[in-house]
Amino acid sequence: ANIELRTAYLNPAVVSSIQKQRHQQQQNQERKKICLIVLGGGYDPRAAKLLYKGMVDRVYELDLPSVVQSKQQLLDRAFSTTTLATGRWEDHGSKFGLEAVDLNDLSAVDGVLDKIQTELHRDSSGTTASQQSDWYVIVISEALLLYLNPGIGGSILKRLSSRFRQRGGATFVFADRLELDNADDASKTYANTTEGGGNDDATEHLVQIWLQDKGWELKDFKRKPGATRHLGIACC
């Protein structure tokens, strides 16, 4: 049930974030492309489907080498079937990047983020030093941060916000368990409890503080039972 609950939140949250960005671009007469960065995508086909449908312009999934290798094989088989071989995946497949990295290794993460920035910069249509702003980034994390070593998840989010805040902006969509490390022990226990009761406001406040420290502004928040109890959207 927990997987279904977080999927029921994440799918519309990601789509609405894409649609909101497209709408803002139309209002401001901008032409930004949208890039998804998925932290630990596993075997979830969400990002590949969004690229296949033309809803986003580029995808990067960051995961362990063994997962990346297996997923590449699965995608190759899935999109070579007669029901999907319309030619569109051939057009977009080169824009789907599977990046093998141990997310607990921050120096390796920096290397991958450097590569992503370089490729987005190269793919931009402008020629000035600010051409990175032609991209808007949406970061997705589903049941990943809670498995990282202490402090790593927050460090990755700081790296993402610092890189993309001034270069087009970014949205962070999550169904995960955030490490509320800047709250005192009593507050963390109160906010992280899986028992019922009116703790949602306290949890939201702590999540807001935690994200602000990482450079993100909380825009939406929901709470559910289970390990991946924090559902939300934040922007930078």
Side-chain angles (χ1 to χ4, degrees), residues 42-227:
Y43 299 106
D44 193 320
R46 179 188 295 112
K49 289 180 179 179
L50 291 170
L51 181 65
Y52 179 78
K53 293 176 181 178
M55 294 185 68
V56 298
D57 303 286
R58 198 170 185 91
V59 172
Y60 292 94
E61 292 196 356
L62 283 59
D63 217 322
L64 293 170
S66 59
V67 177
V68 164
Q69 183 178 9
S70 298
K71 187 163 188 176
Q72 185 63 65
Q73 294 172 351
L74 289 173
L75 288 173
D76 289 343
R77 287 198 297 269
F79 287 103
S80 65
T81 63
T82 55
T83 56
L84 292 176
T86 62
R88 291 189 63 192
W89 181 250
E90 293 181 3
D91 296 334
H92 294 303
S94 63
K95 300 175 182 177
F96 189 93
L98 286 167
E99 303 295 335
V101 62
D102 180 353
L103 290 169
N104 280 310
D105 184 345
L106 291 176
S107 63
V109 171
D110 283 333
V112 171
L113 293 181
D114 286 342
K115 176 187 176 183
I116 292 173
Q117 283 190 292
T118 298
E119 292 183 354
L120 295 184
H121 183 86
R122 186 173 60 234
D123 288 350
S124 297
S125 58
T127 58
T128 68
S130 62
Q131 53 187 303
Q132 174 86 39
S133 63
D134 289 340
W135 286 90
Y136 188 87
V137 171
I138 297 176
V139 180
I140 303 173
S141 177
E142 179 179 5
L144 178 279
L145 300 180
L146 76 165
Y147 294 113
L148 298 179
N149 293 337
I152 295 294
S155 294
I156 292 174
L157 289 176
K158 278 187 176 181
R159 282 162 162 77
L160 288 163
S161 65
S162 65
R163 287 171 182 267
F164 297 110
R165 183 187 303 111
Q166 302 300 328
R167 297 186 174 183
T171 293
F172 175 43
V173 185
F174 58 94
D176 218 315
R177 182 174 179 175
L178 307 182
E179 186 183 11
L180 304 179
D181 51 12
N182 58 344
D184 59 42
D185 290 341
S187 297
K188 286 190 289 185
T189 300
Y190 179 65
N192 282 333
T193 179
T194 58
E195 301 298 325
N199 293 343
D200 287 3
D201 290 342
T203 305
E204 181 174 355
H205 178 66
L206 292 177
V207 168
Q208 183 180 26
I209 293 173
W210 189 85
L211 286 169
Q212 283 178 346
D213 182 62
K214 279 69 183 173
W216 299 87
E217 181 181 355
L218 187 64
K219 297 295 185 180
D220 182 62
F221 180 74
K222 300 288 187 296
R223 181 177 173 275
K224 74 171 187 62

Side-chain angles (χ1 to χ4, degrees), residues 16-32 34 136-138 168-171 219 233 235-236:
S16 67
S17 296
I18 294 169
Q19 293 174 337
K20 180 179 179 180
Q21 181 56 214
R22 296 295 192 199
H23 179 68
Q24 289 178 347
Q25 291 176 25
Q26 289 179 350
Q27 287 186 321
N28 298 332
Q29 296 183 332
E30 297 175 331
R31 292 186 178 181
K32 291 182 182 178
I34 294 179
Y136 188 87
V137 171
I138 297 176
T171 293
K219 297 295 185 180
I233 301 172
C235 296
C236 72

